[in-house]
Every structure is written in structure tokens, then in C-alpha cells.
């Protein structure tokens, strides 16, 4: 997505304000994608760093947030790839296992859902997070992930089916 | 189904996200322009590129992260292939595809047909039944219509649908990926931009010639698909090659790029370096400061036989060596099992033979290393064919050499400290020293304790 590439000559988005307002929610978004707080913070930091480094400032706050969101999703993918590299390219799952502390705090019912989510494919997981946590429209998800709205719709539908299936399988064990 | 599941999902995501609050965030301000430099990988890549350029190698030219502001939508060409080309060509069997060109999450079915050609080098037509409905086709030159192809998928333009990747043989030692992008129901071939020197092959990449030894130097390149991405690597250093031999350390440090499809071209994006071990069959992140590995410097083979003695040679092809006193000289007689004995004399020299054969530098004939000056170090190698005279290979220089128990002969340029490590190799009827890099020896000169400096 290149939503923020147009310089319309208006006042640029205040980056400090953007950072103060959206850093936490973006870290949470990254956390849901990489399942590691430190990695999530790094991903968001890098996303803001890229925005700071832009030669053309963004004028539209919505576009700026969209840019950051896309950057966070892409950065999360990179973080997961690096994590896989660290495991000699042979990960059993895309998402790291949760820490004991996390498991202790999260209710079991939530943990079951999150474990199931972790077993989905990367794109399915991203679509579900953006839809059911970020609350984005299909159009915004499509723009964030760089895919068509139809693909968003079909991916979300298949992802829910797959999630229900893996959760059922786990429950039957 | 999903009302309850959707509610559970939303609640679980909210719960997990809620585990991070404002107080949990690391105190960090907005990154400043001056404080933000390229990532480590970029700097390493730039340094590596500079080194490569310095030796005249047309290799890695890393593109840094794309500037979202500066880049315009890249040009995308449209295919111009008549749909009826190749529909009557010969079917190619054994196709096992794993590709999702329409991005619906299901694999598509791929069939291939080969253009009739006496040398089986005609074009190939690809027909795809898209799992989401519809079809696609393409006509490409893959080099051979006899090979078995396994089309695989990778989402190189991040549009949610795969591009097709086929493995083709470039030559006997090298393969390359052929990437096809689906446009208007036609598969269009895409490749790196003309002039992009980043290797996208698996095999040796010639980097130049070592002016000191005349040996060809090659970088080790590879490519692979992982997690829907196409990546390639190339060793940061070039390694000497001679004939079929190529001295690649294990592990070696390699630069990695991830390939993205932008318009009509594949663009490399620098990724983290990896250390590649062929012995361990792994690619892994390098340790901080990790360098290319050293040969496994086996213990010194120091068992020799002299005049009046004989020995079975250890390692290598089976044979016996004995030394006969003959006046002021000694004569070495080597007898390959099942072959004829042949002898070798250096006038006025007392010869001794190592019981360990120099099997690492003579693979297909009987060979024995000899010492002519009594210092327990090899001064040459005798090659004894089953039916013919011995061919002596003399030491290429006077550097300190030793025979290791694995049959390799190594050399060092000094007794301790920072020295150049080398290894003998056979080049026809000569020996030469293959440079293996700089190492540091301990004060006691123990060559088996050499380390990278």
C-alpha cells in the first residue's frame, strides 16, 4: 500500500502526536502478530523510524495511520522470518510459544483461541487480527495487506472455518 | 457458526492485547532522523558490496529498502502470447505442483507440454486450472522438455496470490529459479533487472582469478523458497577452485537477499547474513563476529618408514610401500594392490615414506608422501598408477608443511602468530598451495590449534 505517498501541500501530520496517540495500539497489533512484546515494540519503533525518514511528509492522518499499520504488519512478517531463521528455517509454527507468565495470566478459553490462531497461515492470521481486533473494514484490510477485498472476504471466511477446526481438534485430544 | 466464534476470537485478541498497557512500554521517544541509521544488515551489506567491487567481482549489488515516497507504481507489461500456441505439444509427465496463483488458499493444477524438438530443447507450454475457477497458460523456454518440473508458489509481490517458480538447470552445477507472474490469465516471465548483478542461482559464481596462484575464485550461491518468499544467498568471500575441487570453508558467511516482484522485475532486498554449513546442512544466523570456518585440522600423521622397512599405506587406494637401501641413495618401491611395483630414487637422498597416504590430494591413484631431508615433514608425493612408472610431485615451496591424518597436506607461512594457511593440491604433474586464509597459531606452533585471527 502506498496510501501516504501523495503530498497535497497541506499541513503534515504531527509525528509526535501520532506517536503518542497510536504507539500503544500499534504495539498491541504487532504483539498479536508476533506474540512477543519486545519484538512488537521493535517493529513499531522501526515503523515510526521509516515514517520519520520519509522525504515527503504525510498530510492525511488516516493515510499516516494506514501507512504505519501496513509497516507494522510487514515488520511483523520480517520479525517472524528472522525468528524462523534463528530456528534454522524449520519452525513448527509461525508464532512463538507463549511464556508461562502469559499462559498463567490469560484465561484458558482465550488461550485456546490464540493457540488455534497461531496455527493458521500467516495471511489468515493477519486478516483475523485486523478484522476482529483492529476492527478494520474489508477495504482497509485489503489496503493494509495489499490484497483485494474479495481475497480479504474469502480469507476471513476460510480462516474462521480453519480456526474452528483446529480448536475442535485440540479440544478432542 | 461464527457469531460465537467471532465473539470468542475478539475477546481473546482483546485479552492478549490488553496484557500490554502504557506502563509496559519501554520508554522510547519518537525516532529522530539523525538517530536512525541503516540497520546492521544494510551496513554489512554495503561493506560486503564494497569488498566485492574491490576484487572486481560482479556480484552482490544490494538494493536498499525501497523508498515508498520516491517510487512510482512500477511498470507492468502485458502478455502478448496467442492462446493456441502449444496446445498440441507433447505432454510432460511427473509434474507435481504446489502453487496458488489465484490466491484462494487452494492449490492450482498445472500441466506442461513440450514443443517437439530433436534435442528436446523446445519451449514449454504451461496450462493451469485455477482452483477458484478459470484457467491460465504460458509459454516459456525452460531449456529442456525432458526434465521433470515441480512448479511451486511464492507471493513475491505480496498481493495475496502466488507467483509460479520453476527450477531450471543453467549448467551441470547450477540451477536457477524461473519466475512466472499471472497477468490477464497468462503466465509472464519476470526476472531481475538487466544489470542487477545479484546472483540468483544455486552453484558456483565466478569471482575472478587469484593473481598469486592463478586459481579461479568462486563464490558459493544458493536460492530457495521458504514461507512463501524467494531468497538467495552468496558467500561474502570467494574460494579457490581447481578442476573439480573447490575449497569452500564450513561454515561460511553468506549474504542473503529476499526477492520481491515490482512490476516487471525482481528486486533484491538485503536480509540478515547467515552462516551456512554444508556438513550440518543448515543455514543459521551467524554468531557475533563469526567468520568462515577453518578446515578440520586433523592430528599430524607422523609415522614414517625408512630403509629396510615396509608398510601398508593407510587411507587412499590399497598399496604397500617399502624402502630399499641402495648405496648412497634409498629407493622407494610402491606396489598398488593388483598392480605392478614401481620405484623412485633421489640421488644421494635418504628417503622415508609416511604410512598415511595423502589421499586428500590424489583421489584416484595410489599415492605416498615422502620425506627426503629427515625433518619428518613431507617434501613431495609419489603417484603410483597400477600399471606404470611413479610420477613424483615435488613440494611447491619450502613452507612448513605437514601431513594430517585425514590425508590432507597443509602449509603455514611461519612458526607461530599470524600466518597464512595453505593446502597442497595436485595440478597435473605439479603440486600447488591453495590459500585457505590467515590464521593465528599459538606460541608453541601447534598447527592443529590454528584459529581465525
Amino acid at each position: 500500500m502506498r496510501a501516504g505517498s501523495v503530498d497535497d501541500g497541506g499541513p503534515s501530520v504531527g509525528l509526535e502526536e501520532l506517536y503518542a496517540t497510536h504507539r500503544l495500539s500499534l504495539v498491541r497489533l504487532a504483539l498479536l502478530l508476533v506474540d512477543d512484546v519486545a519484538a512488537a515494540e521493535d517493529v513499531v519503533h522501526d515503523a515510526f523510524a521509516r515514517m520519520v525518514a520519509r522525504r515527503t511528509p504525510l498530510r492525511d492522518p488516516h493515510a499516516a495511520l494506514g501507512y504505519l499499520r501496513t509497516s507494522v504488519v510487514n515488520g511483523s512478517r520480517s520479525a517472524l522470518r528472522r525468528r524462523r531463521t534463528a530456528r534454522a528455517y524449520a519452525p513448527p509454527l509461525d508464532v512463538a510459544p507463549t511464556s508461562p507468565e502469559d499462559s498463567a495470566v490469560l484465561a484458558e478459553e482465550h488461550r485456546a483461541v490464540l493457540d488455534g490462531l497461531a496455527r493458521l497461515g500467516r495471511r489468515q492470521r493477519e486478516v483475523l487480527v485486523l478484522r476482529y481486533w483492529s476492527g478494520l473494514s474489508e477495504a482497509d484490510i485489503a489496503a493494509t495487506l495489499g490484497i483485494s477485498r474479495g481475497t480479504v472476504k474469502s480469507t476471513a471466511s476460510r480462516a474462521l472455518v480453519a480456526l474452528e477446526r483446529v480448536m475442535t481438534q485440540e479440544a478432542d485430544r | 457458526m461464527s457469531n460465537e466464534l467471532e465473539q470468542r476470537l475478539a475477546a481473546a485478541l482483546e485479552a492478549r492485547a490488553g496484557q500490554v498497557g502504557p506502563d509496559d512500554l519501554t520508554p522510547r521517544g519518537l525516532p529522530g532522523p539523525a538517530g536512525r541509521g541503516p540497520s546492521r544488515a544494510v551496513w554489512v551489506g554495503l561493506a560486503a558490496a564494497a569488498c566485492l567491487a574491490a576484487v572486481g567481482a560482479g556480484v552482490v549489488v544490494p538494493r536498499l529498502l525501497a523508498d515508498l515516497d520516491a517510487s512510482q507504481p512500477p511498470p507492468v507489461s502485458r502478455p502478448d502470447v496467442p492462446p493456441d500456441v502449444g496446445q498440441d505439444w507433447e505432454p510432460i509427465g511427473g509434474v507435481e505442483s504446489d502453487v496458488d496463483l489465484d490466491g484462494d488458499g487452494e492449490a492450482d493444477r498445472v500441466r506442461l507440454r513440450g514443443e517437439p524438438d530433436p534435442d528436446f530443447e523446445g519451449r514449454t507450454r504451461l496450462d493451469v486450472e485455477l482452483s477458484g475457477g478459470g484457467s491460465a497458460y504460458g509459454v516459456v523456454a525452460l531449456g529442456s522438455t525432458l526434465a521433470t518440473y515441480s512448479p511451486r508458489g511464492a507471493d513475491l509481490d505480496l498481493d495475496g496470490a502466488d507467483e509460479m517458480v520453476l527450477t531450471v538447470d543453467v549448467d551441470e552445477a547450477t540451477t536457477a529459479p524461473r519466475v512466472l507472474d499471472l497477468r490477464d490469465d497468462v503466465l509472464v516471465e519476470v526476472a531481475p533487472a538487466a544489470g542487477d548483478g545479484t546472483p540468483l542461482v544455486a552453484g558456483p559464481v565466478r569471482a575472478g582469478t587469484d593473481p598469486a596462484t592463478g586459481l579461479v575464485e568462486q563464490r558459493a550461491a544458493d536460492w530457495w523458497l521458504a514461507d512463501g518468499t524467494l531468497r538467495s544467498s552468496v558467500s561474502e568471500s570467494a574460494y579457490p577452485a581447481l578442476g573439480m575441487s573447490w575449497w569452500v570453508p564450513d561454515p561460511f558467511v553468506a549474504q542473503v537477499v529476499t526477492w520481491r516482484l515490482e512490476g516487471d522485475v525482481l528486486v533484491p532486498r538485503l536480509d540478515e547474513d547467515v552462516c551456512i554449513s554444508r556438513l550440518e546442512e543448515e543455514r543459521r544466523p551467524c554468531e557475533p563476529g563469526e567468520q568462515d570456518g577453518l578446515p578440520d585440522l586433523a592430528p599430524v600423521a607422523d609415522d614414517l618408514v625408512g630403509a629396510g622397512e615396509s608398510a601398508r599405506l593407510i587411507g587412499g587406494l590399497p598399496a604397500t610401500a617399502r624402502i630399499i637401501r641402495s648405496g648412497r641413495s634409498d629407493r622407494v618401491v610402491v606396489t598398488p594392490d593388483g598392480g605392478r611395483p614401481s620405484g623412485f630414487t633421489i640421488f644421494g637422498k635418504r628417503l622415508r615414506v609416511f604410512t598415511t597416504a595423502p589421499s586428500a590430494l590424489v583421489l584416484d591413484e595410489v599415492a605416498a608422501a615422502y620425506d627426503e631431508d629427515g625433518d619428518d615433514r613431507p617434501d613431495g608425493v609419489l603417484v603410483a598408477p597400477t600399471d606404470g612408472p611413479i610420477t613424483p610431485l615435488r613440494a611447491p615451496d619450502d613452507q612448513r608443511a605437514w601431513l594430517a591424518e585425514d590425508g590432507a597436506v597443509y602449509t603455514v607461512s611461519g612458526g607461530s602468530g599470524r600466518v597464512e594457511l595453505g593446502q597442497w593440491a595436485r595440478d597435473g604433474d605439479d603440486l600447488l598451495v591453495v590459500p585457505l586464509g590467515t590464521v593465528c597459531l599459538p606460541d608453541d606452533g601447534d598447527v592443529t590449534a590454528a584459529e581465525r585471527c
Side-chain angles (χ1 to χ4, degrees), chain A residues 1-2 4-5 15-16 19 23-24 27-28 31-32 35-37 41-42 45-46 48-50 52-56 67 74 77 81-82 84-86 88-89 94 98 101-102 105-106 109-114 117 122-123 128-129 131-133 145-148 151 154-155 157-158 160-161 163-164 167, chain B residues 1-2 5-22 24-33 36 65-74 100 102-106 155 157-162 224 226-229 231 256 258 260 262 271-274 282-285:
Chain A
M1 171 177 152
R2 300 172 193 280
S5 60
L15 288 176
E16 291 286 355
Y19 188 74
R23 182 188 175 205
L24 176 59
V27 169
R28 286 171 167 171
L31 172 68
L32 294 175
D35 208 23
D36 180 274
V37 177
E41 284 199 82
D42 287 344
H45 191 77
D46 287 347
F48 275 102
R50 277 192 287 276
V52 169
R54 290 175 64 93
R55 287 205 294 267
T56 310
Y67 172 91
N74 290 339
R77 290 177 191 165
R81 281 199 297 273
R82 284 195 295 273
R84 277 189 289 275
T85 303
Y89 301 102
D94 274 344
T98 51
E101 294 77 11
D102 291 340
V105 174
L106 271 181
E109 60 181 296
H110 296 328
R111 176 50 54 201
V113 177
L114 295 173
L117 187 66
R122 182 256 297 166
R123 193 197 308 160
L128 291 185
V129 168
R131 180 165 173 174
Y132 292 99
W133 186 76
L145 299 181
I147 59 179
S148 70
T151 301
S154 61
T155 301
S157 174
R158 289 196 181 90
L160 286 173
V161 171
L163 180 60
E164 189 166 49
M167 289 172 59
Chain B
M1 99 162 140
S2 292
L5 179 59
E6 287 172 321
Q7 288 171 9
R8 285 188 65 188
L9 174 59
L13 291 171
E14 189 61 41
R16 179 65 172 127
Q19 288 185 307
V20 178
D24 299 316
L25 296 180
T26 308
R28 280 178 177 174
L30 179 68
R36 178 179 178 262
L65 291 176
D67 186 330
L68 291 176
D69 303 320
S71 60
Q72 297 297 317
D100 176 17
D102 55 5
D104 67 348
E106 304 291 334
D155 185 4
D157 54 7
L158 304 179
D159 67 349
D162 284 345
W224 64 96
D227 188 37
T229 63
R231 288 187 180 140
V256 177
T258 297
R260 296 285 183 226
E262 295 183 3
D271 215 322
E272 296 287 332
D273 287 359
V274 295
E282 68 174 11
R283 299 184 199 96
R284 58 171 172 76

Side-chain angles (χ1 to χ4, degrees), chain B residues 210 213 215 217 238-240 246-249 292-297 402 408-411 419-424 433-439 452:
Chain B
D210 181 345
T213 63
L215 291 171
E217 295 199 312
Y239 309 114
W246 186 18
W247 286 265
V248 179
D292 287 350
L294 282 176
D296 186 10
L297 296 170
W402 75 96
V409 179
Y410 296 104
T411 65
V419 298
E420 295 302 317
L421 178 69
Q423 183 175 355
W424 283 6
V433 175
V434 176
L436 300 181
T438 303
V439 298
R452 291 285 185 204

